[in-house]
């Protein structure tokens, strides 16, 4: 009987501690994100990890809310640092100096002092949006465009890439196409650079276009606003 009572007391004490932890955690979350509604908090069976259901999504954290895991990313709540994103930036860095820039279309804007590499598909709508809406607003940069046709998505992208590459003025042909929809007449030339660019992209893990690579080796996926590209370049030391 005594053992049974002790067991019941231990269970009750454990339950009180769990509820106290949950209440403390709820308070910490609401203090950091006052506009977020916490629906439920459940302690998991994984080493002090709590499941928090809020605003229609699940995050994971510890009892002190010293970190949170959302959408597969580890976030530092107070500073809002995306720890996973920072590590991915480091782990996917590219050695910019090793890139075969002679295989890319070179467009110089202004003094061309800053460097930017773009993997682009001629038929990719986001690549055109990047060129038409964002890159046109950026000056003093040299842009190296690696033609990276995604043939499974855009069957004619290879032919367009070859026509642009074989033009007398590749930079003009590229800009005529992405800015004005005017494609250069197809000519005959060595187009092995396009195949080499595809191989380079696969080696670097490029899976979508546009993919931007900055002089410090960090990358950006998608047609980001000009201000974000400017910010990334402003924190990047210029390389010869």
């Amino acid at each position: 009987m005594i053992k049974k009572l002790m067991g019941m007391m231990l269970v009750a004490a454990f339950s009180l501690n769990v509820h106290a932890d949950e209440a403390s955690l709820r308070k910490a979350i609401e203090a950091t994100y006052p506009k977020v509604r916490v629906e439920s908090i459940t302690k998991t069976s994984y080493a002090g990890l709590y499941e928090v259901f809020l605003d229609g999504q699940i995050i994971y954290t510890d009892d002190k809310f010293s970190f949170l895991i959302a959408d597969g990313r580890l976030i530092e709540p107070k500073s809002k640092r995306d720890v996973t994103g920072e590590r991915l930036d480091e782990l996917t860095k590219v050695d910019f100096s090793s890139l075969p820039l002679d295989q890319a279309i070179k467009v110089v804007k202004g003094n061309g002092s800053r460097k930017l590499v773009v993997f682009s598909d001629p038929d990719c709508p986001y690549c055109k949006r990047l060129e038409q809406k964002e890159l046109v607003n950026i000056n003093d940069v040299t842009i190296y465009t690696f033609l990276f046709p995604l043939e499974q998505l855009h069957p004619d992208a290879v032919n367009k890439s070859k026509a642009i590459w074989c033009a007398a003025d590749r930079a003009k042909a590229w800009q005529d196409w992405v800015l004005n929809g005017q494609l250069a007449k197809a000519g005959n030339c060595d187009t092995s650079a396009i195949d080499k660019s595809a191989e380079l992209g696969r080696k670097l893990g490029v899976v979508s276009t546009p993919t931007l690579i900055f002089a410090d080796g960090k990358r950006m996926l998608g047609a980001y606003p000009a201000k974000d590209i400017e910010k990334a370049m402003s924190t990047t030391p210029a390389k010869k």
Side-chain angles (χ1 to χ4, degrees):
M1 183 67 179
I2 293 176
K3 288 184 178 180
K4 184 177 180 181
L5 286 172
M6 288 180 65
M8 292 172 65
M9 290 171 65
L10 286 171
V11 169
F14 176 77
S15 178
L16 287 171
N17 286 335
V18 167
H19 288 304
D21 289 344
E22 291 177 1
S24 176
L25 177 54
R26 182 184 293 271
K27 187 175 180 180
I29 295 171
E30 290 174 346
T32 307
Y33 298 104
K35 294 183 179 180
V36 167
R37 180 183 176 186
V38 179
E39 301 284 352
S40 66
I41 298 175
T42 306
K43 188 171 185 179
T44 74
S45 57
Y46 300 103
L49 203 63
Y50 284 80
E51 171 200 284
V52 181
F53 181 49
L54 46 77
D55 281 2
Q57 66 174 323
I58 291 175
I59 67 167
Y60 296 94
T61 186
D62 63 355
D63 61 341
K64 294 181 175 57
F65 199 48
S66 57
F67 67 88
L68 68 89
I69 300 171
D71 295 327
R73 290 179 176 267
L74 179 63
I75 308 295
E76 194 176 83
K78 290 184 179 179
S79 65
K80 309 299 189 294
R81 278 181 58 225
D82 181 352
V83 179
T84 301
E86 290 177 6
R87 283 295 292 150
L88 275 174
D89 283 346
E90 292 299 319
L91 294 171
T92 60
K93 261 189 176 182
V94 175
D95 180 2
F96 195 92
S97 64
S98 71
L99 294 174
L101 300 180
D102 59 318
Q103 295 175 18
I105 297 171
K106 181 180 177 181
V107 174
V108 180
K109 303 180 67 178
N111 62 29
S113 58
R114 299 177 294 177
K115 311 296 179 186
L116 175 65
V117 158
V118 182
F119 280 82
S120 194
D121 177 327
D123 279 340
C124 161
Y126 296 103
C127 298
K128 291 178 181 177
R129 176 183 166 187
L130 175 71
E131 297 278 354
Q132 295 170 3
K133 303 294 186 182
E134 313 305 338
L135 295 184
V136 292
N137 298 313
I138 297 176
N139 202 20
D140 295 337
V141 61
T142 301
I143 303 172
Y144 298 92
T145 300
F146 285 92
L147 294 172
F148 194 70
L150 301 172
E151 197 169 6
Q152 290 184 335
L153 293 175
H154 309 124
D156 199 41
V158 171
N159 292 330
K160 289 186 175 74
S161 295
K162 289 179 178 179
I164 293 166
W165 185 256
C166 290
D169 187 336
R170 291 168 184 163
K172 182 178 183 302
W174 171 249
Q175 292 195 305
D176 281 346
W177 171 246
V178 293
L179 297 179
N180 304 312
Q182 298 174 357
L183 186 63
K185 290 183 179 180
N188 293 319
C189 74
D190 180 6
T191 58
S192 60
I194 298 173
D195 295 327
K196 290 177 181 177
S197 293
E199 184 179 345
L200 174 66
R202 287 191 291 270
K203 181 180 177 182
L204 297 177
V206 175
V207 295
S208 64
T209 56
T211 292
L212 290 68
I213 299 177
F214 299 92
D216 64 354
K218 292 183 180 179
R219 65 181 77 192
M220 182 181 284
L221 310 182
Y224 271 74
K227 62 182 180 61
D228 293 336
I229 299 172
E230 285 278 9
K231 184 178 178 181
M233 287 195 293
S234 69
T235 59
T236 299
K239 293 190 177 183
K240 303 294 184 182

